[in-house]
């Protein structure tokens, strides 16, 4: 096979920025088959496979890329599926630049191979062209409960089901998917794609029980007692929003990013007939600089705001969001007010947001995270007229599970304490992973945790059966 030594990866076709910032259709349009084959030929198949080391779920990346290069797209999909339950999702939302592509040898002197784009292409090709029913694994006579139908829970459920376990996933919301459904906008991750991945798990025998708030409707002890589950995996995420504690945060028109995105993504606030509409007004400020902040800002623009600001206390170089998301936001007209921090939200006569008072910042010495610490510049306060403020400052786990599960150890941040990558908790037979353990992190890291926990649960149940 002839290699493609083009120094740059094949560009991803996208909607025009001035068109897409007014609709919720997917921004990236995906590779054609010809683009995918040409991009796959950029892989030089290193002996040490550094890209695999960078993948939290260990996808055999050079192997699937080799199949794409030969035009064997279904074979490529089967290789990916050995290690990932959600390839169409990962190909869209994983931070490949800091994981698989960040280790790519081609990326040392040129651009890395577009691994994420190829994974997306393969998953989409399979979805559109293969319609055979999957093989249902033979049952092994054991059953496991999974709490939370987000990336960690879905991955654990899928891996356990493939091993023959009877798996039931308990989800608090009315649909499965977790953050994939309520947190990530349609224009980045179409919900029909998430649903198809979930339907694939149902097809191999995974059961889903929605509207089931574990800790309220049932407890972990009840699941392991009267319901007879031999192990429980907790993948309940981190949905409790954080706020700044500044004056005015309780005003009408102040949202957490979680509420704002849930209304838009899950409750379809962008539809004219929505029962949970969002008032955004003309000007919106999103406080924060991560991927969630970009999602909220870009959603606000599509919901009709004329001006949307990202207000972030560090500089552009320190923004934690993916480079691609920042570039897309800039193209769409989002205004970045960096080295800026809100100190007060001001009200109008009716208790709605009228403006925010901010102070300018400068970067001082590095803090514990290694980033330069933002320091206020005295006397630099200024006011921005604003109709809506969205706080995107991170999240922590909901306290419900830890407060209703005796003996389940958590840390000062409310995260479940585990013994390591296997996800074993202080309660025998109870495992945990994803944001419930780490706090808010990436989809792929949660999937990696679900995968490791599934392996550990299998070993635990087998050891008990053989004791």
């Amino acid at each position: 096979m002839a290699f493609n030594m083009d120094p740059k990866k094949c560009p991803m076709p996208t909607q025009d920025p001035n068109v897409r910032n007014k609709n919720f259709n997917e921004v990236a349009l995906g590779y054609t088959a010809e683009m995918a084959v040409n991009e796959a030929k950029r892989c030089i198949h290193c002996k040490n496979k550094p890209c695999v080391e960078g993948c939290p779920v260990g996808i055999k990346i050079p192997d699937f890329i080799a199949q794409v290069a030969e035009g064997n797209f279904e074979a490529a999909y089967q290789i990916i599926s050995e290690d990932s339950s959600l390839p169409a999702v990962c190909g869209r939302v994983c931070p490949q630049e800091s994981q698989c592509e960040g280790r790519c040898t081609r990326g040392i002197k040129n651009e890395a191979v577009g691994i994420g784009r190829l994974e997306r292409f393969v998953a989409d090709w399979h979805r559109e062209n293969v319609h055979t029913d999957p093989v249902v694994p033979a049952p092994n006579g054991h059953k496991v409960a999974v709490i939370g139908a987000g990336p960690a829970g879905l991955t654990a459920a899928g891996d356990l089901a493939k091993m023959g376990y009877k798996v039931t996933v308990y989800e608090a919301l009315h649909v499965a998917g977790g953050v994939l459904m309520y947190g990530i906008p349609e224009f980045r991750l179409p919900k029909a794609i998430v649903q198809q991945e979930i339907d694939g798990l149902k097809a191999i025998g995974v059961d889903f029980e929605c509207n089931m708030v574990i800790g309220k409707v049932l407890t972990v002890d009840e699941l392991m007692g009267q319901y007879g589950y031999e192990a429980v995996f907790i993948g309940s995420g981190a949905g409790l929003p954080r706020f700044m504690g500044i004056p005015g945060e309780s005003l009408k028109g102040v949202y957490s990013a979680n509420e704002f995105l849930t209304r838009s993504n899950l409750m379809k606030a962008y539809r004219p007939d929505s029962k949970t509409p969002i008032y955004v007004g003309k000007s919106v400020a999103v406080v924060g600089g991560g991927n969630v902040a970009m999602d909220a800002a870009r959603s606000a623009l599509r919901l009709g705001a004329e001006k949307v600001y990202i207000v972030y206390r560090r500089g552009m170089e320190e923004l934690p969001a993916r480079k691609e998301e920042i570039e897309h936001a800039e193209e769409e007209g989002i205004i970045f007010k960096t080295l800026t921090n809100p100190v007060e939200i001001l009200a109008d006569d009716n208790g709605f947001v009228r403006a925010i008072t901010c102070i300018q910042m400068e970067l001082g010495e590095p803090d514990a995270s290694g980033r330069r610490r933002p320091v206020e510049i005295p006397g630099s306060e200024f006011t921005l007229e604003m109709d809506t403020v969205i706080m995107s400052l991170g999240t922590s786990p909901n306290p419900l599970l830890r407060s209703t599960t005796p003996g389940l150890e958590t840390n000062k941040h409310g995260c479940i304490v585990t013994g390591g990558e296997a996800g074993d908790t202080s309660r025998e037979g109870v495992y945990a992973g994803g944001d419930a353990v780490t706090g808010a992190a990436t989809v792929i890291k949660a999937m990696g945790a679900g995968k490791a926990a599934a392996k550990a649960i299998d070993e635990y149940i087998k050891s008990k059966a053989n004791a």
Side-chain angles (χ1 to χ4, degrees):
M1 181 186 73
F3 291 122
N4 172 8
M5 299 310 294
D6 192 321
K8 293 192 174 184
K9 67 179 71 171
C10 177
M12 171 63 84
T14 60
Q15 282 194 72
D16 180 271
N18 292 319
V19 174
R20 71 184 192 231
N21 63 8
K22 298 175 183 66
N23 68 59
F24 277 82
N25 299 329
E26 190 168 14
V27 167
L29 303 177
Y31 278 173
T32 64
E34 183 182 7
M35 290 174 177
V37 169
N38 286 338
E39 183 60 27
K41 289 179 178 178
R42 292 186 65 238
C43 176
I44 57 175
H45 298 278
C46 321
K47 286 185 179 180
N48 59 350
K49 304 177 182 179
C51 53
V52 178
E53 294 176 11
C55 175
V57 296
I59 292 171
K60 301 172 188 68
I61 293 168
D63 294 354
F64 100 74
I65 287 180
Q67 294 296 332
V68 175
E70 296 295 332
N72 300 324
F73 304 141
E74 179 60 14
Y77 178 82
Q78 294 303 326
I79 292 169
I80 295 171
S81 296
E82 291 174 13
D83 300 294
S84 174
S85 299
L86 306 169
V89 171
C90 291
R92 285 168 164 82
V93 303
C94 280
Q96 291 98 4
E97 66 275 8
S98 61
Q99 294 176 345
C100 55
E101 293 181 20
R103 305 282 188 92
C104 177
T105 303
R106 288 296 307 268
I108 295 172
K109 292 184 177 180
N110 302 301
E111 287 188 5
V113 175
I115 298 168
R117 296 173 181 181
L118 291 173
E119 182 179 13
R120 169 191 163 142
F121 168 80
V122 167
D124 289 354
W125 187 93
H126 172 84
R127 186 179 68 254
E128 293 162 7
N129 292 279
V130 179
H131 306 291
T132 56
D133 293 332
V135 177
V136 178
N140 64 13
H142 300 281
K143 65 178 190 174
V144 177
V146 172
I147 301 172
L154 293 176
T155 301
D159 281 17
L160 287 164
K162 290 172 186 175
M163 298 175 198
Y165 288 91
K166 185 59 183 172
V167 182
T168 302
V169 181
Y170 292 94
E171 168 56 43
L173 294 175
H174 62 284
V175 296
V179 71
L180 306 176
M181 283 293 199
Y182 75 76
I184 302 175
E186 183 81 9
F187 55 80
R188 273 216 298 139
L189 180 62
K191 302 299 161 260
I193 287 172
V194 180
Q195 188 58 53
Q196 188 135 7
E197 302 279 31
I198 293 165
D199 290 343
L201 295 178
K202 290 179 180 178
I204 61 170
V206 178
D207 289 330
F208 287 86
E209 295 282 350
C210 294
N211 297 309
M212 291 290 287
V213 183
I214 302 302
K216 281 283 189 184
V217 182
L218 294 172
T219 65
V220 170
D221 287 342
E222 287 172 328
L223 290 174
M224 300 188 76
Q226 66 196 74
Y227 284 83
Y229 290 103
E230 296 162 82
V232 171
F233 174 74
I234 300 174
S236 51
L240 190 66
R242 295 176 185 158
F243 288 88
M244 293 185 71
I246 61 175
E249 277 187 307
S250 61
L251 292 173
K252 301 167 193 173
V254 179
Y255 298 89
S256 69
N258 259 33
E259 179 189 356
F260 187 84
L261 289 170
T262 298
R263 284 193 183 199
S264 178
N265 299 331
L266 196 61
M267 313 308 290
K268 311 300 181 189
Y270 56 87
R271 292 180 179 170
D273 60 345
S274 174
K275 294 180 180 179
T276 56
I278 304 174
Y279 171 76
V280 294
K282 292 182 178 180
S283 296
V284 177
V286 179
V287 183
N291 289 327
V292 176
M294 301 303 145
D295 286 344
R298 297 170 69 196
S299 294
L301 199 64
R302 287 160 169 79
L303 286 165
E306 294 176 7
K307 289 185 178 180
V308 180
Y309 300 84
I310 289 284
V311 180
Y312 182 60
R313 62 183 187 153
R314 288 183 165 96
M316 289 294 290
E317 293 298 316
E318 289 76 32
L319 282 164
R322 292 182 66 191
K323 181 182 177 184
E324 180 180 79
E325 301 309 319
I326 296 167
E327 288 174 352
H328 282 170
E330 288 183 304
E331 288 171 358
E332 291 169 10
I334 304 298
I335 303 162
F336 285 77
K337 298 288 287 187
T338 54
L339 291 171
T340 301
N341 210 33
V343 294
E344 184 176 6
I345 304 171
L346 306 175
D348 66 12
D349 294 338
N350 298 312
F352 283 84
V353 172
R354 172 178 62 83
I356 55 172
T357 299
C358 299
I359 191 166
Q360 292 181 348
M361 314 290 283
E362 60 184 355
L363 297 180
E365 296 301 313
D367 61 15
S369 70
R371 296 186 299 172
R372 292 174 65 192
R373 186 169 62 89
V375 179
E376 293 183 353
I377 299 174
S380 64
E381 291 87 352
F382 65 97
T383 299
L384 286 171
E385 289 188 7
M386 210 60 60
D387 300 301
T388 301
V389 177
I390 302 168
M391 294 293 181
S392 182
L393 306 167
T395 54
S396 57
N398 189 297
L400 183 61
L401 269 171
R402 68 175 183 264
S403 66
T404 59
T405 310
L408 185 67
E409 184 183 353
T410 56
N411 63 22
K412 64 180 181 180
H413 302 294
C415 298
I416 298 170
V417 175
T418 62
E421 289 185 3
D424 51 308
T425 72
S426 55
R427 286 283 305 267
E428 183 183 348
V430 178
Y431 294 75
D435 291 3
V437 171
T438 61
T442 62
V443 167
I444 190 66
K445 285 184 177 177
M447 290 176 61
K451 192 172 191 65
K455 182 173 182 289
I457 288 169
D458 178 51
E459 292 169 355
Y460 165 74
I461 290 177
K462 283 179 177 175
S463 69
K464 284 192 70 177
N466 295 329

